């Protein structure tokens, strides 16, 4: 259980410190869950995008789409090559998951879902929506893209 504070005490808190701490813990937990499958976040992003539009993503288009989320200087071609070497991805005109790739994606999705469930324990849905909308507004106020990813 976490300690309760007055609205004044909470309102005085630095958003950067709390959003940074949340980022480190959330992303760390997700990366830990993916590592069980020997995956990184860029592997996960690739699997999901390709699953959503089989055969439509080229390497270049997928790199353009995913690069904005990369904070580790990822070599996306190495990620694609790794998934191909595993037999999870095939590349013809575009990228497509194999049966093994889809099975791996589903296992990783289930692991990530458990992290999300843990993260949302005790958090009211309305409070979560408000938090995301506040962060979207702050991002937009500072010149970023406050829209939801497509």
């Amino acid at each position: 259980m976490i300690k309760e504070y007055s609205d004044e005490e909470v309102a005085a808190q630095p958003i950067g410190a709390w959003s940074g701490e949340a980022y480190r813990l959330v992303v760390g937990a997700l990366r830990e869950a993916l590592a069980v499958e020997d995956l990184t976040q860029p592997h996960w992003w690739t699997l999901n995008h390709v699953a959503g539009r089989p055969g439509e993503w080229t390497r270049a288009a997928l790199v353009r789409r995913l690069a904005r989320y990369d904070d580790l200087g990822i070599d996306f071609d190495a990620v694609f090559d790794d998934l191909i070497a595993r037999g999870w991805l095939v590349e013809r005109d575009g990228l497509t998951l194999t049966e093994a790739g889809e099975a791996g994606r589903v296992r990783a999705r289930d692991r990530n879902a458990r992290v999300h469930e843990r993260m949302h324990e005790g958090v009211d849905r309305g409070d979560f929506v408000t938090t995301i909308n506040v962060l979207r507004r702050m991002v937009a106020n500072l010149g970023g893209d406050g829209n939801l990813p497509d």
Side-chain angles (χ1 to χ4, degrees):
M1 177 171 247
I2 62 173
K3 185 176 174 184
E4 293 294 321
Y5 296 93
S6 70
D7 286 356
E8 292 77 25
E9 289 172 301
V10 173
Q13 293 296 299
I15 186 70
W18 285 104
S19 61
E21 181 69 1
Y23 171 83
R24 285 184 293 279
L25 290 169
V26 168
V27 170
L30 291 169
R31 287 177 178 167
E32 186 177 296
L34 291 169
V36 172
E37 294 288 334
D38 197 26
L39 298 173
T40 64
Q41 281 184 299
H43 284 93
W44 171 242
W45 302 332
T46 299
L47 292 169
N48 277 308
H49 278 74
V50 172
R53 290 181 30 204
E56 293 183 32
W57 288 106
T58 63
R59 284 179 182 237
L62 199 49
V63 169
R64 280 192 303 277
R65 171 75 173 127
L66 300 178
R68 78 179 272 202
Y69 303 107
D70 175 28
D71 63 348
L72 299 174
I74 297 298
D75 176 353
F76 284 100
D77 281 318
V79 170
F80 304 150
D81 291 343
D82 178 59
L83 291 169
I84 290 168
R86 291 178 193 219
W88 286 25
L89 192 65
V90 292
E91 185 174 24
R92 292 188 183 92
D93 293 332
L95 300 166
T96 305
L97 294 185
T98 64
E99 284 185 36
E102 177 60 11
R105 187 190 73 78
V106 168
R107 286 191 309 273
R109 180 201 64 202
D110 292 346
R111 289 180 191 289
N112 279 352
R114 288 191 292 275
V115 171
H116 283 273
E117 287 169 14
R118 253 183 42 222
M119 188 173 14
H120 285 261
E121 285 176 16
V123 176
D124 177 80
R125 185 173 188 271
D127 290 343
F128 180 79
V129 169
T130 298
T131 300
I132 296 300
N133 281 328
V134 167
L135 290 171
R136 289 179 52 230
R137 170 53 47 207
M138 289 178 169
V139 165
N141 288 349
L142 294 173
D145 181 356
N147 295 316
L148 299 178
D150 43 321

